[in-house]
């Protein structure tokens, strides 16, 4: 028998499959698939699935694919709830101490959002508790980054993004793009975000239910902050008082991203920033790391 040929057995299953990858056209694909094959076979040998269980696994993946369309990506959801999205993000966004940390993009970002002026409201329907957002973009030394692009979006008071309910919510509701001034500052009006449940009507939701896991995301605001010469950050601000911080379904919470949403009862201040009184406020500061 040729020593480089392996006939398939339970014991040498990995070697039998890997021996077929001899002269790959795509060496990175081969590197990744060798690892996938090794770990997949190890899982199968560890759990020893029955035929019925393996068929159920295939049916789960098939149902996950069928759930995907232009508005929903169930495979991204699966990646999120298994912590894989956050792990890939962490590997690709290793930054020096002091720079704002990344977290998952999430499935609800859209392009074509209008630029807004400082002080504008991003709430198109006026529903929810008024929130004043203000902050600065700086480099690690504290120098302001003028002209930085601050792209923000969030869920509404009832826990939905505009593109989840396009027939009920105005287009670009609670979305906006702001450009920082010479001091690196930006400010705008919004509404206090709500916690919400990720979709649980598909195969991923059924998996979470079977595992006894929560499907909730804590209240947060999304940001993508970018500027020439700096690393772009994709991040969140999380409400420190939200009860779901410790069991975020997609593992997106990082301690440095938890911040205080303050309640204000100051009619004079509210009038000066065109807010209803009482109102909430939150400071959103971001530190960009220079490109090396």
């Amino acid at each position: 028998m040729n020593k480089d040929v392996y006939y398939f057995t339970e014991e040498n299953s990995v070697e039998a499959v890997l021996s077929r990858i001899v002269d790959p056209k795509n060496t990175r694909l081969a590197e990744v698939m060798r690892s996938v094959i090794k770990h997949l076979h190890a899982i199968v040998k560890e759990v020893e699935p029955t035929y019925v269980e393996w068929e159920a696994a295939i049916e789960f993946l098939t149902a996950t694919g069928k759930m995907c369309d232009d508005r929903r990506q169930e495979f991204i959801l699966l990646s999120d709830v298994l912590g894989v999205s956050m792990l890939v993000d962490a590997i690709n966004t290793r930054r020096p101490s002091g720079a704002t940390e990344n977290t998952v993009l999430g499935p609800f970002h859209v392009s074509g959002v209008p630029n807004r002026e400082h002080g504008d409201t991003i709430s198109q329907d006026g529903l929810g508790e008024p929130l004043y957002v203000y902050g600065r973009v700086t480099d690690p030394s504290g120098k302001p980054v003028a002209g930085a692009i601050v792209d923000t979006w969030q869920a509404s008071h009832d826990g939905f993004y505009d593109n989840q309910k396009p027939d009920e919510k105005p287009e670009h509701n609670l979305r906006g793009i702001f450009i920082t001034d010479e001091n690196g500052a930006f400010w705008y009006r919004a509404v206090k975000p709500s916690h919400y449940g990720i979709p649980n009507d598909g195969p991923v939701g059924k998996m979470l239910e079977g595992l006894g896991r929560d499907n909730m995301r804590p209240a947060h605001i999304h940001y993508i902050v970018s500027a020439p010469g700096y690393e772009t950050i994709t991040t969140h601000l999380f409400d420190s008082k939200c009860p779901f911080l410790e069991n975020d379904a997609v593992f997106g919470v990082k301690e440095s991203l938890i911040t205080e949403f303050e309640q204000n009862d100051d009619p004079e201040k509210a009038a000066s920033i065109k807010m209803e009184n009482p109102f909430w406020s939150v400071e959103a500061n971001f530190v960009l790391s220079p490109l090396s």
Side-chain angles (χ1 to χ4, degrees), residues 74-203:
E74 192 80 356
F75 270 112
I76 291 178
L77 189 65
L78 178 60
S79 172
D80 289 348
V81 303
L82 295 179
V84 177
S85 297
M86 279 297 295
L87 180 57
V88 171
D89 184 74
I91 290 170
N92 283 276
T93 58
R94 296 169 179 144
R95 297 195 180 108
S97 177
T100 298
E101 291 191 277
N102 245 56
T103 190
V104 288
L105 174 66
F108 300 115
H109 181 261
V110 301
S111 58
V113 174
N115 281 45
R116 305 191 190 277
E117 299 297 323
H118 296 144
D120 281 354
T121 182
I122 62 172
S123 175
Q124 306 302 300
D125 59 12
L127 300 176
E129 299 178 86
L131 172 70
Y132 181 66
V133 184
Y134 64 99
R136 296 178 70 225
V137 179
T138 65
D139 71 7
S141 70
K143 179 182 176 181
V145 179
I149 299 171
V150 180
D151 183 353
T152 185
W153 69 104
Q154 65 171 84
S156 57
H157 70 290
D158 54 354
F160 292 97
Y161 294 84
D162 62 340
N163 54 347
Q164 285 181 291
K165 292 193 170 185
D167 296 332
E168 298 179 21
K169 297 185 181 296
E171 185 180 17
H172 299 145
N173 189 44
L174 295 171
R175 300 179 187 273
I177 294 177
F178 298 87
I179 309 298
T180 59
D181 67 11
E182 66 275 9
N183 297 311
F186 65 97
W187 59 96
Y188 64 92
R189 293 172 289 148
V191 298
K192 192 170 186 287
S194 172
H195 56 264
Y196 59 86
I198 61 173
N200 62 356
D201 58 338

Side-chain angles (χ1 to χ4, degrees), residues 60 63-69 72-80 199-206:
F60 170 79
T64 299
K66 288 181 177 179
M67 185 64 72
C68 300
D69 57 29
R72 178 164 173 174
Q73 232 298 349
E74 192 80 356
F75 270 112
I76 291 178
L77 189 65
L78 178 60
S79 172
D80 289 348
N200 62 356
D201 58 338
V204 173
K206 291 182 175 62

Side-chain angles (χ1 to χ4, degrees), residues 215-271:
N215 74 322
M216 298 302 294
R217 291 225 66 201
H220 59 273
I221 305 174
H222 291 266
Y223 290 95
I224 297 176
V225 185
S226 60
Y230 295 89
E231 288 188 30
T232 298
I233 61 170
T234 300
T235 195
H236 294 15
L237 288 184
F238 291 96
D239 183 353
S240 63
K241 294 184 177 65
C242 184
F244 297 103
L245 286 172
E246 295 182 0
N247 58 346
D248 181 6
V250 306
F251 305 96
V253 178
K254 295 183 178 180
E255 190 172 4
S256 68
L257 305 180
I258 300 172
T259 191
E260 191 79 16
F261 283 65
E262 297 184 355
Q263 204 161 17
N264 303 268
D265 188 356
D266 186 338
E268 185 175 340
K269 175 66 174 177

